[in-house]
Amino acid sequence: MAFDSFSALLAMGGYAKYVWPAWGLAALLLLGFVCWARHERRQLFEQLRRRRRREARAA
Amino acid sequence: MWTFIHKLGSPKWCYTLCGRLQPGFWAAAALLLCVGSVWALGYSPRDYQMGDSYRIIYVHVPSAILAQSIFIAMAVASAVLLVWKIKVADMAARVMAPFGAAMTFLALFSGSLWGVPTWGTWWTWDARLTSMLIQLFLYLGVIALRGAFGSADQGAKAVAVLTLVGVVNIPIIKYSVVWWNTLHQPATFTLTQPPAMVASMWMPLLVMVLGFYCFFIALTLYRLRNEILRRESRTRWVQELAD
Amino acid sequence: MPRSTTGMKFTDEERSLAPVAGTTIGLSAVWRAQVKRELALARRRGGDLLNPLLFLALVVVLFPLGISPQPDLLAEIAPGLLWVAALLAMLLSLDALFRTDFADGSLEQLLLSPQPLPLLCLAKVFVHWLLTGMPLALCAPLMGVLLSLPGTGYLTLAASLALGTASLSLIGAIGAALTVGLPRGGVLLSLLVLPLYIPVLIFGAGAVQAAIQGGGTAPALALLGALLALAVAAAPFAIAGALRISVNG
């Protein structure tokens, strides 16, 4: 363990304001892409189902 | 081998293959990224020159590596589209582009954050940062060109040509920027890096790089499935899938 | 019907038959015919030729007004500034490269002709360079006077621009060919092409800097030549492919 306590980990030896934003953006981007992809998939299926219903009604 | 490539050309077969491959990659990505983060943030030793600020390396290097490999992957997909007219290749190229741009941005952002404690400034016209910035513009150009075309097929081929032109240019841009950099700035701003990293430092880095790769592959497979459904939405098998 | 296979001398009747597959016309004759056509078109359009030069002059005038008229400062930024201004002038002229041909359908004729398309594209780009890049290279030294460019830089400025603008024309033509079918291609074209222009800018402005500081200009000029050689070898094929995609889908 490189740090003595959890607060020392958060402080990052005085470099907290450089290290955490970099890691934060990385986490945000990765999670954001996952959410985006899931949202995309859900919307797609909804669209497919809607079209199918519409075509079933038309037929 | 050839039958495999022919099968890849079939969107339906590709859809099921991606579905089968993706859980493994998601699991590997989650595992590697969790282990890598804890190891990198908590357990790797402090750098004797840069202190804890060097821990940015664990997101900077993986994103920079991915930014370059994704462009190459897009170029390979583009070549496959132009040579064999395999549509799935274009779908893959399309799906990869936004993540590649995001990784390029992350590399730039973390690099400039790292620049403050090591160089004392947010931005220097360092060769690597500069060529990364140009690469970001290349990504954005590819995405913008795709958006400008109404017809998907026409846009696909145009983007493929642009991607191939871009990938030929990336090394040229890189070397010209290095040349320009050495011409204009004497080497005062080199990264203060210890000659060789100790194993306890580069092992977590390796884990993080692998984790980012697995995440990229898993995300691409996932979004490729979406893209296949979107483009093939008129076919019978997709409509049956929706029910 | 006897048909001349030697070169340029065609009767009117034969000329109308020329695009039919199977006529044997030498590549140099194709080149000459295409260049002649482009030059004739440019002559009839007339005024367009001056626009890039006027643009260069105006941009150069803006800088002393915007920054400072001090000769020392201007002399220091002159090489890069002249190169950037010339590069932007080239960029603005690109949009028209294929657009009129696309609008009146002659681009489709070009694609249908049995002659190798990359060669025809190369001829078009050559004329574009001849009528845009060359005049810019010749006029940039005059603009250098306005920016009090040191005396040793003038020759290298003209030489590097003459070499560099040829690469710019070739690379830019790829972007112009990709965006020719799009209704609002102009801004997109610059977004696509500008990143690819950076190596040319670096070596071009670097050559002029080196000339001013008394260093050897040969390495930078040689690298510009290498870029041009690569562009001449590869770009015509990319342009031809892009045109086929833009016109035929």
Side-chain angles (χ1 to χ4, degrees):
Chain A
M1 190 78 194
F3 297 97
D4 302 329
S5 63
F6 188 66
S7 57
L9 173 71
L10 287 184
M12 271 291 151
Y15 291 113
K17 61 179 172 176
Y18 308 118
V19 175
W20 290 119
W23 278 78
L25 184 73
L28 201 73
L29 282 177
L30 296 192
L31 286 177
F33 266 93
V34 171
C35 291
W36 181 35
R38 286 174 63 102
H39 175 74
E40 197 180 44
R41 186 170 182 80
R42 233 175 296 135
Q43 244 184 355
L44 201 70
F45 269 91
E46 206 168 300
Q47 213 177 329
L48 283 173
R49 248 176 258 129
R50 219 180 305 142
R51 187 192 294 162
R52 190 135 170 87
R53 243 178 285 139
R54 199 170 47 228
E55 276 163 12
R57 219 178 303 139
Chain B
M1 178 66 198
W2 280 108
T3 50
F4 177 73
I5 289 179
H6 281 299
K7 274 186 187 165
L8 266 187
S10 143
K12 186 182 176 186
W13 192 81
C14 210
Y15 182 85
T16 42
L17 179 73
C18 291
R20 226 175 305 145
L21 288 176
Q22 98 173 297
F25 279 108
W26 281 122
L31 185 73
L32 288 168
L33 286 176
C34 286
V35 169
S37 306
V38 173
W39 195 351
L41 285 171
Y43 290 89
S44 63
R46 186 169 290 132
D47 185 71
Y48 70 100
Q49 270 179 324
M50 291 182 280
D52 285 315
S53 74
Y54 96 97
R55 286 177 209 280
I56 294 176
I57 209 176
Y58 297 113
V59 293
H60 179 71
V61 169
S63 56
I65 290 176
L66 266 191
Q68 295 178 356
S69 2
I70 293 176
F71 209 99
I72 294 170
M74 282 164 58
V76 171
S78 304
V80 169
L81 171 77
L82 289 180
V83 175
W84 287 293
K85 316 265 182 279
I86 294 178
K87 267 195 205 163
V88 176
D90 169 60
M91 299 182 198
R94 180 198 167 121
V95 155
M96 283 186 243
F99 192 65
M103 285 300 105
T104 317
F105 181 74
L106 178 60
L108 277 173
F109 183 80
S110 56
S112 100
L113 271 174
W114 200 7
V116 182
T118 42
W119 299 331
T121 168
W122 290 98
W123 181 263
T124 69
W125 290 94
D126 166 69
R128 268 173 298 178
L129 279 178
T130 310
S131 53
M132 210 37 128
L133 182 65
I134 298 165
Q135 201 180 327
L136 179 62
F137 289 131
L138 286 177
Y139 269 115
L140 295 180
V142 166
I143 295 171
L145 185 65
R146 166 99 56 188
F149 274 95
S151 131
D153 279 350
Q154 202 181 10
K157 287 187 218 153
V159 168
V161 170
L162 181 68
T163 314
L164 287 176
V165 171
V167 90
V168 170
N169 267 276
I170 282 179
I172 300 176
I173 291 173
K174 211 156 182 155
Y175 283 111
S176 66
V177 169
V178 168
W179 192 79
W180 160 83
N181 195 50
T182 50
L183 201 70
H184 285 257
Q185 305 180 334
T188 46
F189 274 144
T190 49
L191 203 59
T192 48
Q193 208 166 15
M197 285 176 98
V198 291
S200 53
M201 279 180 172
W202 65 254
M203 287 289 282
L205 184 58
L206 187 68
V207 172
M208 287 299 280
V209 170
L210 288 177
F212 268 70
Y213 264 111
C214 285
F215 182 90
F216 161 63
I217 294 170
L219 181 77
T220 304
L221 293 176
Y222 190 94
R223 291 200 61 218
L224 181 58
R225 273 160 65 95
N226 291 354
E227 186 71 12
I228 289 173
L229 289 187
R230 205 172 61 79
R231 294 232 198 139
E232 302 284 307
S233 60
R234 294 275 166 205
T235 57
R236 176 184 279 260
W237 70 271
V238 173
Q239 301 204 339
E240 279 166 3
L241 202 77
D243 295 327
Chain C
M1 190 188 79
R3 191 173 286 157
S4 73
T5 53
T6 46
M8 293 297 284
K9 292 276 180 273
F10 287 100
T11 64
D12 281 354
E13 198 183 2
E14 280 177 324
R15 196 168 288 145
S16 68
L17 285 171
V20 176
T23 50
T24 47
I25 306 175
L27 289 184
S28 61
V30 173
W31 168 271
R32 255 174 290 160
Q34 183 70 18
V35 167
K36 224 181 205 171
R37 169 185 180 269
E38 296 296 323
L39 285 174
L41 279 175
R43 199 171 54 239
R44 278 172 215 162
R45 270 199 297 268
D48 287 2
L49 286 179
L50 269 178
N51 289 351
L53 299 178
L54 282 176
F55 177 83
L56 176 75
L58 276 168
V59 169
V60 164
V61 166
L62 290 181
F63 275 82
L65 295 175
I67 299 175
S68 130
Q70 281 177 4
D72 307 348
L73 184 68
L74 287 178
E76 197 174 327
I77 59 171
L81 206 159
L82 286 166
W83 248 96
V84 170
L87 186 148
L88 291 177
M90 288 297 286
L91 186 68
L92 288 183
S93 68
L94 277 177
D95 197 38
L97 182 55
F98 296 117
R99 201 162 284 276
T100 44
D101 278 2
F102 181 69
D104 66 14
S106 45
L107 197 58
E108 258 168 280
Q109 294 288 322
L110 199 72
L111 298 192
L112 288 174
S113 79
Q115 275 74 41
L117 186 57
L119 184 76
L120 299 175
C121 295
L122 189 63
K124 271 186 89 72
V125 175
F126 171 71
V127 173
H128 175 256
W129 170 75
L130 200 67
L131 298 178
T132 318
M134 264 317 255
L136 282 173
L138 294 175
C139 285
L142 287 180
M143 298 297 124
V145 176
L146 292 182
L147 295 174
S148 45
L149 183 78
T152 48
Y154 288 91
L155 201 61
T156 316
L157 179 67
S160 68
L161 273 175
L163 261 179
T165 48
S167 308
L168 296 185
S169 281
L170 281 161
I171 300 168
I174 302 173
L178 283 173
T179 54
V180 69
L182 299 172
R184 295 173 307 280
V187 185
L188 184 64
L189 173 62
S190 18
L191 180 61
L192 302 186
V193 162
L194 274 178
L196 306 176
Y197 274 3
I198 286 168
V200 181
L201 173 70
I202 288 176
F203 295 128
V208 184
Q209 287 278 13
I212 290 173
Q213 288 161 359
T217 57
L221 287 179
L223 283 166
L224 273 183
L227 286 180
L228 178 58
L230 184 66
V232 167
F237 296 95
I239 299 167
L243 279 180
R244 284 198 197 285
I245 291 164
S246 279
V247 175
N248 299 333

